[in-house]
Amino acid sequence: RRCPRGLRLPRGARASWAGVTAFPPRRYLLYASGDFVKVHSVNTEETLGLLCGHADLVTDIQLNPHNHMQLYSSSLDGTIKLWDFMDGIPIKTFTVGSKLLALYALASAEDSVFVVIPKKGERDTFQLVSVKLTKGAGQDLEGKELSVVLDGVGASPKQIAFGREDSYVVSVKDVNLQVYFFKQKLLNRFSLSTAKTKGGDNRFSCVVCHPKEDCIATGHADGKIRLWRNFHHKKAYTYSALHWHHDIVMDLAYSLEGTRLLSGGVESVLVQWHNESSCQKDFLPRLGSPIECISMSSDGVLCCTLHTDNRITIINSNLRFSRSIQGLIKSRDVKTGLVVDPRTKALVLNGEPGHLQFYSLQSDQQLFSLDIVQRQYIHQAGLKQSDLVKVAFSARGSWLATVEESEEVADPELQLKLWFYSEETQSFALNTRINIPHDNHITDMCFRDMDELGDDSLILVTTGRDCVFKVWVMVGDSDPEAHQSVSWSCDFVGSYHNYQATNCCFSEDGSLLAVSFEETVTVWDSLTWDLKCTFCHPPGNIRNICFGRLTCSKYLIGATDYGFLCCWNLLTCALEWSAHLNVVVLQPDPLSEHIAAVSWLSKESSLFVFKPSEPWPVYIQRNLCKEKILLAAFVPRDEPEMINSEKYLWLRKSQLFFLTDTQELMTLSTKSLEERLTPSSKQLAVEESLPVTPFSVLLGKHRRQQAQEDTDLGKPVVHNRQEQASPAVKELLHTPAHVLPSASFLCTIFINSLLISKENKSAEEVADEVEMESEKAEDESDEEDVTAMEQEDTSPMELLGEMTCKLSKSQEKELRKIRKMDYSWLSAF
């Protein structure tokens, strides 16, 4: 998605398209993810590099057909980039101007590519155009020379395909198929019936062309695959049908020779059709989730499938599973919120149905998935099944609490589970299961963890729509046959005027518990469970509450659904301040006093970061994104980040992540757009630190010892100016040879970088030198005599080991004036 004003998608947010490189030994997998292109190792499944440079969502990628070490990428920012993906360096950037929705690079077109762009002046109408790639010496070039090939095409890359030897192009949309022949400049249109008879639906979903024959394969919404032939004639065309899928065909792909056709859909099964016959087909079932895209390697040995759960599966040519690359799973509904695991700093949220996924944002990979519901999920529309709705961690991450409930609204089936982390198995093990912990839906829960009181301080609080909150504590298990020494049980039940309990949170030291009951916030002593005070700011129910931290621990913050943000002082029990703000997310930073508040107003999300003790926000970013932000979380950094800009100092210890209503994960970047889009070649040119090797350590130690010996002997230390190489020299040495400019262009820069510049001189010295040069012609002979006399006078003194006193510039100037004076009048005496 578009990420303006420093907001960007993290690396593993969403894989939007996949493609395997063509050269042996099939080592690399390239795919677009947000505004990045990722280079993955097929063998080790690790990320080898990131291609960073686009300012918006990358929509498509294509290998350069003339150089398989290079890659084209298109983006919604209106640019096409040519990359050296092995070194992560952008070679060329072509600015087209319009949003680019799909990209096609053909072997027959050396200086042009094809893209899909919106048609000007018409909504939801798209064109396939040819873009001429301008040749030039610079890196940023214009790609404004466009020629329209087809009108009324689909926006998806799967709805356009190029035929045998790139002689024609095919486009499908709704029930219409277009074929345009380049040499003949002929356009044939074909249409299917729009009537849905006997469960049939003729709408096109995807298209692919046979690599060796004039044959077009199209996928349809009713699960059929049609094979079109003789489409050079408008009336004599024919097609045959293949049918196995019971629902929409999501994508199609031919093998290298065209002997096999692969298809995939919502059944999570990859189907391989042999010789275009419905009788000869193979299956690879149980791939986990519906198949969105299929991509073949150019040598035909591997294929990969992209699934709706943000996973890429790599499959061998014999239809055997090889390995998979799992991104952040896109769940149907993130009911658990964004939670951070204190042990691993991983982001924890809903994953597969009934599962909890632990996703590492640092390594950009899923750590593991925990089966919470432990029931087989049945993919059937309308079936009410149990799902995971609430998650909470203890402060040290040793305990995990989960709540699962059925989708029944009136009488939900509730279960509260407590899990303990086992160091032996390196996973969470179920400790206690509590059936029906509340009589109605559980609305919130949180742990209290006070280290100074030991294990006895660990308690869990849950709130529910049954108008009570419950306190759960650990107790020793007296059953000798029990597998664990402790279990959990209810210790206290609290209520307030029979109002529904909606939110709960503990203060930083754990001494106070705040529970919101509709319009009222109640504060309880966590040791005696006495009600200390209440706060209210009508009208409107309390939507979010949180305590201040560190120096702001005496404040309690609350947001109402009527659009008020309130701050109460716990010492005076009075309202400190309030602001009219429709806050939908209130998230405190666990490592600082800052609190992030996200508002939703006029169909745009805005961010406000503040300290409760200060009357003005620390950071304001209006129109953060057009999507509604539903959840947010601060993730602690491994090391505090060095931030130059003052307005981002609140992000020094933690990084802020957002989840939108379209389930896209975004983060706030501390770098400007220009810094993020700096080409890798320029970053290499100014890089100051080199990798430490045993040889460099040994050489540095030898140089330091030599310098120390010279200093001890009284020798002047001479510094080599060439040790501090200029950026021009570093760029020459770091940049790969195949992307360097010509030698004639680099020669002047390289020679100039080797020259030693003169020492800087003061303004007085420069003025004296100018005056001395003006007098040089008049006094040349006199200066030679004086120089000779000085040499004769000083040489005996130097032989005696004495040092002469050097005159300053002003003294030399005075001596010259005296020397010029006429002393001939003295001869009269």
Side-chain angles (χ1 to χ4, degrees):
R1 301 297 299 171
R2 189 173 185 180
C3 309
R5 295 176 175 84
L7 191 68
R8 67 173 183 83
L9 286 158
R11 296 193 297 267
R14 183 71 177 148
S16 56
W17 186 256
V20 180
T21 55
F23 56 93
R26 303 168 299 278
R27 293 176 295 172
Y28 307 110
L29 173 72
L30 298 101
Y31 59 91
S33 179
D35 50 3
F36 299 100
V37 177
K38 299 182 68 173
V39 183
H40 232 81
S41 171
V42 174
N43 296 325
T44 64
E45 304 179 22
E46 62 179 343
T47 302
L48 301 179
L50 290 172
L51 307 184
C52 314
H54 283 292
D56 210 332
L57 184 72
V58 177
T59 54
D60 207 351
I61 58 174
Q62 293 286 333
L63 284 174
N64 185 355
H66 307 288
N67 186 348
H68 286 165
M69 299 290 290
Q70 297 177 356
L71 179 80
Y72 285 106
S73 64
S74 62
S75 171
L76 293 181
D77 62 5
T79 63
I80 300 172
K81 288 184 179 291
L82 178 63
W83 303 86
D84 176 358
F85 62 84
M86 290 300 300
D87 295 310
I89 296 175
I91 303 173
K92 298 287 183 181
T93 299
F94 303 94
T95 303
V96 180
S98 301
K99 291 183 177 181
L100 308 179
L101 304 175
L103 172 69
Y104 308 91
L106 307 183
S108 59
E110 295 185 4
D111 59 347
S112 62
V113 295
F114 294 85
V115 295
V116 175
I117 62 173
K119 189 174 182 179
K120 293 183 179 180
E122 298 186 23
R123 189 176 180 181
D124 297 331
T125 305
F126 306 97
Q127 296 175 314
L128 176 67
V129 300
S130 173
V131 181
K132 186 174 182 181
L133 303 180
T134 309
K135 294 183 179 180
Q139 190 181 44
D140 298 325
L141 301 173
E142 294 289 331
K144 302 293 186 180
E145 194 171 334
L146 309 179
S147 56
V148 179
V149 178
L150 282 176
D151 263 328
V153 301
S156 172
K158 298 183 290 185
Q159 294 179 325
I160 295 177
F162 288 81
R164 178 176 58 89
E165 298 177 354
D166 303 330
S167 58
Y168 56 89
V169 59
V170 185
S171 169
V172 295
K173 185 179 181 182
D174 296 330
V175 294
N176 301 313
L177 183 145
Q178 301 181 83
V179 184
Y180 179 76
F181 300 91
F182 290 104
K183 290 184 179 180
Q184 298 87 350
K185 295 184 178 179
L186 175 67
L187 177 62
N188 289 344
R189 291 188 175 94
F190 309 95
S191 297
L192 297 175
S193 174
T194 58
K196 299 181 180 180
T197 58
K198 297 181 180 180
D201 190 347
N202 292 328
R203 288 176 300 162
F204 291 95
S205 58
C206 54
V207 63
V208 67
C209 294
H210 197 288
K212 302 296 182 180
E213 302 174 4
D214 289 334
C215 177
I216 301 172
T218 58
H220 297 265
D222 58 359
K224 290 181 181 179
I225 301 172
R226 286 184 169 89
L227 303 176
W228 302 69
R229 294 185 183 274
N230 204 23
F231 44 81
H232 299 81
H233 308 283
K234 289 187 177 181
K235 295 184 178 180
Y237 71 92
T238 61
Y239 65 78
S240 59
L242 306 174
H243 197 185
W244 179 86
H245 299 278
H246 79 276
D247 209 329
I248 183 172
V249 179
M250 301 292 288
D251 201 11
L252 296 167
Y254 269 109
S255 63
L256 181 63
E257 297 296 329
T259 57
R260 296 176 292 118
L261 176 65
L262 299 176
S263 64
V266 298
E267 302 87 0
S268 307
V269 177
L270 183 65
V271 184
Q272 181 175 260
W273 307 84
H274 294 276
N275 301 319
E276 302 172 357
S277 171
S278 59
C279 299
Q280 301 179 17
K281 53 183 178 289
D282 297 321
F283 304 95
L284 180 61
R286 294 184 292 275
L287 290 179
S289 60
I291 298 173
E292 283 190 331
C293 300
I294 305 173
S295 181
M296 293 288 298
S297 62
S298 296
D299 57 4
V301 177
L302 294 176
C303 79
C304 66
T305 56
L306 174 64
H307 300 262
T308 55
D309 63 353
N310 202 22
R311 176 170 45 86
I312 294 175
T313 303
I314 301 173
I315 301 167
N316 294 324
S317 58
N318 57 358
L319 219 61
R320 298 291 181 131
F321 172 83
S322 176
R323 51 180 47 89
S324 66
I325 301 170
Q326 180 65 67
L328 185 66
I329 297 177
K330 186 176 181 180
S331 177
R332 294 181 305 165
D333 187 13
V334 183
K335 301 176 182 178
T336 60
L338 296 183
V339 186
V340 179
D341 180 10
R343 295 182 60 261
T344 61
K345 299 180 183 178
L347 201 63
V348 181
L349 66 162
N350 290 98
E352 298 177 7
H355 288 68
L356 199 61
Q357 62 172 322
F358 290 71
Y359 195 84
S360 172
L361 295 163
Q362 291 77 16
S363 61
D364 191 22
Q365 62 182 357
Q366 187 185 90
L367 298 181
F368 62 93
S369 179
L370 184 63
D371 187 2
I372 301 296
V373 177
Q374 298 178 344
R375 296 181 186 176
Q376 180 66 36
Y377 186 83
I378 302 174
H379 294 270
Q380 181 178 340
L383 184 63
K384 303 298 183 181
Q385 302 182 75
S386 296
D387 199 5
L388 184 62
V389 295
K390 297 294 178 185
V391 170
F393 284 92
S394 62
R396 289 172 288 185
S398 56
W399 285 93
L400 167 66
T402 61
V403 175
E404 57 189 72
E405 62 182 33
S406 64
E407 297 176 350
E408 298 288 345
V409 178
D411 188 17
E413 179 183 347
L414 299 176
Q415 276 194 351
L416 173 64
K417 294 180 179 179
L418 280 303
W419 308 73
F420 180 73
Y421 186 82
S422 172
E423 294 292 343
E424 296 179 359
T425 61
Q426 293 292 299
S427 182
F428 284 94
L430 182 62
N431 176 271
T432 304
R433 178 190 289 111
I434 302 171
N435 294 319
I436 314 179
H438 285 262
D439 295 333
N440 207 330
H441 291 277
I442 294 179
T443 56
D444 199 5
M445 66 177 177
C446 61
F447 273 99
R448 184 197 71 174
D449 199 352
M450 299 169 63
D451 293 336
E452 64 273 10
L453 297 182
D455 294 336
D456 296 336
S457 68
L458 187 61
I459 63 175
L460 176 69
V461 174
T462 59
T463 59
R465 293 182 184 175
D466 55 356
C467 304
V468 299
F469 72 92
K470 293 186 178 182
V471 180
W472 308 86
V473 298
M474 285 192 297
V475 295
D477 200 332
S478 58
D479 187 0
E481 298 182 358
H483 296 287
Q484 60 266 354
S485 58
V486 296
S487 60
W488 292 76
S489 65
C490 183
D491 182 65
F492 179 78
V493 178
S495 63
Y496 183 78
H497 293 295
N498 205 30
Y499 293 150
Q500 285 189 359
T502 53
N503 299 278
C504 62
C505 66
F506 279 98
S507 60
E508 184 179 14
D509 61 358
S511 61
L512 297 177
L513 169 68
V515 181
S516 62
F517 291 89
E518 297 182 6
E519 295 185 356
T520 307
V521 180
T522 60
V523 181
W524 306 72
D525 189 327
S526 64
L527 296 179
T528 62
W529 302 116
D530 294 331
L531 179 63
K532 292 297 183 181
C533 60
T534 60
F535 300 107
C536 187
H537 194 282
N541 294 333
I542 301 297
R543 180 182 288 169
N544 305 100
I545 57 173
C546 69
F547 280 95
R549 303 183 66 85
L550 301 178
T551 60
C552 301
S553 58
K554 65 178 180 179
Y555 298 103
L556 177 64
I557 312 299
T560 69
D561 55 10
Y562 264 65
F564 284 96
L565 180 65
C566 308
C567 177
W568 293 284
N569 192 319
L570 297 172
L571 300 181
T572 62
C573 295
L575 181 67
E576 190 79 9
W577 54 262
S578 66
H580 189 60
L581 194 64
N582 183 29
V583 176
V584 293
V585 177
L586 191 66
Q587 186 65 38
D589 183 4
L591 301 181
S592 70
E593 301 94 341
H594 299 102
I595 298 176
V598 179
S599 68
W600 173 251
L601 185 65
S602 301
K603 296 184 178 181
E604 65 180 37
S605 295
S606 301
L607 174 64
F608 300 86
V609 180
F610 62 94
K611 289 183 179 181
S613 59
E614 298 179 0
W616 56 86
V618 176
Y619 177 83
I620 299 177
Q621 181 60 70
R622 300 187 184 276
N623 191 17
L624 189 66
C625 65
K626 294 298 182 181
E627 294 82 8
K628 185 177 182 180
I629 294 177
L630 301 180
L631 303 168
F634 278 99
V635 178
R637 300 183 188 272
D638 293 332
E639 295 292 338
E641 186 174 343
M642 298 299 295
I643 299 177
N644 298 325
S645 176
E646 291 186 1
K647 70 175 184 178
Y648 291 119
L649 287 178
W650 57 278
L651 285 172
R652 196 173 70 89
K653 296 181 179 180
S654 302
Q655 190 172 2
L656 183 60
F657 288 87
F658 309 97
L659 190 73
T660 66
D661 55 355
T662 56
Q663 295 195 24
E664 289 176 340
L665 185 65
M666 298 182 178
T667 185
L668 197 67
S669 176
T670 58
K671 297 180 180 180
S672 64
L673 184 63
E674 291 76 12
E675 291 175 332
R676 298 206 314 269
L677 301 186
T678 300
S680 302
S681 58
K682 294 182 181 179
Q683 293 176 1
L684 287 173
V686 298
E687 186 181 3
E688 294 297 334
S689 59
L690 295 176
V692 178
T693 62
F695 179 75
S696 65
V697 173
L698 180 62
L699 184 61
K701 182 178 180 181
H702 172 72
R703 286 178 175 174
R704 287 192 297 269
Q705 290 178 351
Q706 187 66 33
Q708 184 64 33
E709 291 175 1
D710 293 343
T711 305
D712 296 339
L713 295 174
K715 296 180 181 180
V717 180
V718 180
H719 296 280
N720 185 8
R721 297 180 182 275
Q722 300 309 318
E723 290 181 359
Q724 299 177 351
S726 66
V729 176
K730 286 189 177 181
E731 186 165 7
L732 177 64
L733 297 177
H734 285 78
T735 308
H738 59 278
V739 296
L740 276 175
S742 61
S744 59
F745 177 79
L746 294 173
C747 182
T748 305
I749 302 176
F750 178 68
I751 294 301
N752 289 336
S753 67
L754 298 178
L755 298 178
I756 300 176
S757 61
K758 294 182 178 181
E759 295 289 343
N760 295 331
K761 300 178 181 180
S762 64
E764 182 182 355
E765 291 175 343
V766 172
D768 292 340
E769 286 186 3
V770 172
E771 186 175 349
M772 288 169 61
E773 288 177 0
S774 64
E775 297 170 356
K776 184 177 180 180
E778 302 176 2
D779 307 324
E780 185 174 0
S781 60
D782 294 334
E783 288 179 5
E784 290 177 356
D785 297 337
V786 173
T787 303
M789 291 172 59
E790 290 176 353
Q791 290 177 352
E792 293 176 358
D793 294 338
T794 56
S795 56
M797 299 180 66
E798 289 178 355
L799 292 174
L800 295 174
E802 298 177 4
M803 297 297 293
T804 60
C805 182
K806 187 176 179 181
L807 298 178
S808 64
K809 296 288 184 180
S810 59
Q811 290 174 336
E812 290 180 357
K813 186 177 179 181
E814 291 296 329
L815 286 176
R816 290 193 189 92
K817 290 181 180 179
I818 296 173
R819 191 175 67 250
K820 289 187 210 178
M821 295 181 65
D822 186 11
Y823 296 100
S824 59
W825 55 274
L826 291 174
S827 61
F829 299 97

